């Protein structure tokens, strides 16, 4: 099949490259000339493990091309995916659909043959109806089926998630469109990935409900972690104890500094706006959003407490700055709130991250950045492990302890056993675990 992927951001680029790896012919389109030129030279706009090789292999195989010419890519495509950004609209938190609608108009004008127009961007319920209306008004003669096909890719594991999905969700009431989508996903379908075919509005809601549920799960265990700290229990054991119940499941029960990233914060707020508009309040999700925001700020206070309640004149080294490992994405990262709280309290903040320093620097110019975690820790009054990158999972704790001004480790991801930290001569502070077993 011939596929046009409109938007070569995170979702578009990963999806386009993976579709071409299945044997489809994919043209990835973007308005950003420099991005397209860089991609043609094999330079990726984002850090995602394995993406550069995947792109290179399929470009070489002649199945993957990049262009700024949307009309040309659309004119001979059987399936056109809209994968442009849907940022939070300034002021009200609604998803900003101007890029989606702009792309739709351009697609409508370029349609030359029957095709499915698929929204892959995360869009509020009812957006597909609007996309359909725009196509009908812009190109009344065109034969196009508008389908919703949300993505469930995690940054850092996106290729794996695309190739081995838990499910594929397709929203359309039209049997012909469903058949074309089956064709697009046939290689996965053969791998027995379940295909959930449902109405378009239901598919749109599935995406938001999934992200809101996962955000809720994380926030739930984070609050249980606070309770563990208060009563002297261990949140990791609680998570294991409840997660082994198949009805609950063990994933997304890692207590930490609060969720961040480009999806959960934005999507939960957009879902709340939809719920408000339809007078069907989602009170649990409302609480999740509030609790998570407060938690990120509370993490700064936790570090200050570890310093004995006074941060003025102290130096704190943050290890891991991105919102999660294996990405250079800093959007809504907990590190942003922690840095703010520490600097407000008069601390000097240092930062280390394996991939995110450039992005971090653009958002937090007043942090001193280091290329090495040990150098960042040298002479510091506290080291805070914020993001659990692999390279930060086996630090030489004795070496850290020896080089620091005060041997304090705040482990916000519970990476290190308390005993190991204490045996290395460091004072341990973590999330939801007693410093000594009760
Ligand atoms: C999330 C979803 O997991 C994907 O299924 C979805 O497709 C994507 O959003 C999207 O809507 O595009 P992502 O934001 O890349 O993916 O990252 P996650 O792995 O879900 O992590 C999100 C945040 O939750 C991170 O800050 C992470 O540290 C935190 N988290 C995750 C925890 O604190 N504890 C956990 O147990 C799991």
């Amino acid at each position: 099949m011939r596929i046009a992927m409109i938007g070569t951001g995170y979702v578009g680029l990963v999806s386009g490259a993976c579709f071409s790896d299945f044997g489809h012919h994919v043209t990835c389109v973007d308005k950003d000339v420099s991005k397209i030129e860089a991609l043609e030279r094999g330079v990726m706009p984002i850090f995602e493990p394995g993406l550069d090789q995947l792109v290179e292999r399929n470009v070489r195989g002649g199945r993957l091309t990049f262009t700024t010419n949307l009309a040309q890519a659309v004119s001979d495509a059987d399936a056109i995916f809209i994968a442009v950004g849907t940022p939070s609209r300034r002021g009200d938190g609604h998803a900003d659909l101007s890029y989606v609608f702009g792309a739709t108009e351009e697609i409508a004008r370029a349609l030359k043959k029957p095709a499915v127009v698929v929204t892959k961007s995360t869009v509020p319920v009812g957006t597909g109806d609007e996309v359909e209306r725009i196509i009908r008004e812009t190109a009344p003669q065109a034969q196009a089926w508008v389908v919703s096909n949300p993505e469930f890719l995690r940054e850092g594991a996106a290729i794996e998630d695309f190739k081995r999905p838990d499910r594929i969700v397709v929203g359309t009431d039209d049997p012909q469109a469903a058949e074309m989508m089956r064709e697009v996903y046939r290689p996965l379908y053969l791998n027995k990935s379940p295909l959930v075919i449902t109405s378009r509005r239901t598919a749109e809601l599935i995406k938001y409900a999934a992200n809101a549920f996962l955000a809720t799960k994380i926030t739930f265990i984070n609050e249980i972690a606070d309770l563990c700290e208060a009563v002297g229990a261990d949140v990791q054991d609680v998570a294991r104890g409840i997660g082994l119940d198949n009805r609950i499941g063990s994933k997304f029960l890692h207590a930490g500094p609060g969720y961040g990233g480009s999806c959960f914060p934005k999507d939960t707020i957009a879902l709340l706006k939809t719920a408000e508009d339809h007078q069907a309040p989602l009170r649990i999700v409302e609480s999740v959003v509030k609790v998570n925001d407060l938690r990120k700020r509370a993490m700064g206070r936790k570090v200050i407490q570890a310093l004995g309640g006074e941060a003025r004149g102290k130096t704190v080294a943050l290890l891991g700055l991105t919102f999660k490992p294996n990405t250079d994405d800093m959007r809504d990262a907990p590190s942003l709130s922690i840095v703010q709280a520490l600097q407000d309290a008069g601390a000097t903040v240092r930062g280390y991250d394996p991939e995110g320093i450039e992005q971090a620097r653009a958002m937090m110019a007043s942090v001193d950045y280091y290329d090495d975690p040990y150098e960042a820790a040298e002479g510091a009054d506290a080291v805070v492990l914020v993001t659990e990158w692999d390279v930060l999972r086996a630090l030489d704790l004795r070496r850290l302890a020896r080089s620091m001004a005060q041997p304090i480790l705040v482990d916000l991801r519970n990476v290190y056993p308390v005993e190991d930290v204490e045996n290395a001569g460091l004072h341990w502070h973590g999330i939801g675990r007693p410093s000594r077993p009760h």
Side-chain angles (χ1 to χ4, degrees):
M1 285 188 106
R2 300 197 79 86
I3 292 177
M5 185 65 66
I6 315 302
T8 53
Y10 191 79
V11 172
L13 187 54
V14 170
S15 308
C18 288
F19 278 138
S20 65
D21 212 40
F22 291 162
H24 295 312
H25 280 85
V26 181
T27 309
C28 286
V29 183
D30 207 288
K31 281 191 180 335
D32 185 339
V33 183
S34 57
K35 202 190 237 184
I36 292 296
E37 281 173 358
L39 280 164
E40 281 176 333
R41 290 195 311 273
V43 178
M44 300 298 111
I46 48 163
F47 172 76
E48 178 66 31
L51 185 62
D52 43 1
Q53 292 101 307
L54 188 74
V55 167
E56 203 245 292
R57 180 164 76 235
N58 287 288
V59 167
R60 212 170 351 103
R63 291 179 301 273
L64 180 61
T65 49
F66 299 99
T67 182
T68 53
N69 190 337
L70 181 143
Q72 201 173 43
V74 165
S75 63
D76 65 350
D78 307 295
I80 300 135
F81 283 80
I82 302 177
V84 296
T86 53
S88 270
R89 204 160 62 189
R90 218 171 264 275
D92 66 1
H94 268 294
D96 178 352
L97 297 175
S98 55
Y99 302 108
V100 173
F101 296 149
T104 304
E105 260 184 64
E106 285 188 56
I107 292 166
R109 277 195 290 271
L111 283 167
K112 293 271 182 312
K113 59 184 250 201
V116 280
V117 177
V118 190
T119 48
K120 220 175 207 332
S121 306
T122 299
V123 290
V125 181
T127 304
D129 302 355
E130 190 58 16
V131 168
E132 191 169 278
R133 188 189 63 76
I134 294 172
I135 295 178
R136 214 179 291 124
E137 283 179 7
T138 315
Q141 318 301 337
Q143 209 184 354
W145 299 271
V146 177
V147 176
S148 163
N149 172 221
E151 56 85 18
F152 301 100
L153 311 177
R154 284 165 305 162
E155 292 191 17
I159 296 170
E160 174 67 17
D161 283 354
F162 194 96
K163 292 196 163 179
R164 267 169 282 279
D166 289 341
R167 78 305 204 183
I168 301 153
V169 174
V170 168
T172 177
D173 291 325
D174 188 286
Q176 206 170 334
E179 193 42 45
M180 288 174 86
M181 292 303 287
R182 267 202 199 92
E183 194 61 35
V184 169
Y185 280 106
R186 191 167 308 281
L188 288 181
Y189 191 53
L190 293 175
N191 279 349
K192 305 234 178 343
S193 296
L195 192 60
V196 179
I197 299 191
T198 175
S199 78
R200 200 164 56 203
R201 284 185 167 231
T202 305
E204 289 168 342
L205 188 55
I206 286 173
K207 167 67 194 214
Y208 281 101
N211 274 2
F213 188 84
L214 292 169
T216 303
K217 213 172 166 189
I218 297 166
T219 307
F220 176 82
I221 202 67
N222 283 342
E223 283 204 315
I224 293 290
D226 290 347
L227 183 59
C228 285
E229 285 172 27
V231 301
D234 186 324
V235 72
Q236 288 185 298
D237 290 344
V238 173
R240 188 169 146 74
I242 63 173
L244 285 169
D245 183 330
N246 280 334
R247 292 169 303 174
I248 297 175
S250 58
K251 292 184 179 161
F252 278 66
L253 282 181
H254 299 291
Y259 62 78
S262 61
C263 304
F264 290 169
K266 165 173 82 73
D267 292 351
T268 43
I269 290 172
L271 179 62
L272 289 180
K273 290 291 164 194
T274 304
E276 202 181 297
D277 288 351
H278 292 81
Q279 278 128 44
L282 295 174
R283 297 191 186 91
I284 293 174
V285 184
E286 279 170 21
S287 301
V288 165
V289 170
K290 276 193 208 124
V291 171
N292 192 63
D293 279 350
L294 291 173
R295 182 169 191 83
K296 289 197 219 166
R297 276 185 263 159
M299 291 301 113
R301 288 198 296 278
K302 192 178 184 75
V303 177
I304 295 169
Q305 254 170 26
L307 285 165
E310 181 56 61
R312 192 156 301 282
K314 307 264 172 72
T315 299
V316 180
L318 264 51
L319 304 186
L321 302 169
T322 50
F323 83 97
K324 63 184 246 181
N326 297 325
T327 176
D328 55 2
D329 201 334
M330 283 294 298
R331 283 176 283 181
D332 278 310
S335 63
L336 298 169
S337 314
I338 299 171
V339 166
Q340 187 68 56
L342 291 172
Q343 289 182 335
D344 287 350
T348 301
V349 181
R350 299 176 178 174
Y352 162 79
D353 192 275
E355 294 292 337
I357 288 187
E358 205 181 307
Q359 278 75 359
R361 202 189 297 276
M363 297 167 99
M364 304 183 291
S366 52
V367 168
D368 301 326
Y369 292 96
Y370 288 77
D371 293 329
D372 177 88
Y374 295 102
E375 281 173 25
E378 208 173 303
D381 295 286
V383 161
V384 187
L385 192 116
V386 189
T387 310
E388 69 282 28
W389 283 91
D390 279 347
V391 289
L392 300 175
R393 283 176 178 274
L395 290 169
D396 180 342
L397 298 175
R398 286 179 198 281
R399 181 172 165 198
L400 279 188
R402 275 198 307 273
S403 73
M404 293 170 67
Q406 288 192 78
I408 297 172
L409 177 71
V410 186
D411 180 357
L412 298 181
R413 298 286 182 171
N414 286 336
V415 165
Y416 290 97
V418 183
E419 305 75 56
D420 292 6
V421 176
E422 290 181 345
N423 288 342
L426 287 159
H427 297 293
W428 175 91
H429 299 263
I431 297 279
R433 288 189 296 169
S435 56
R436 281 175 213 294
H438 280 55

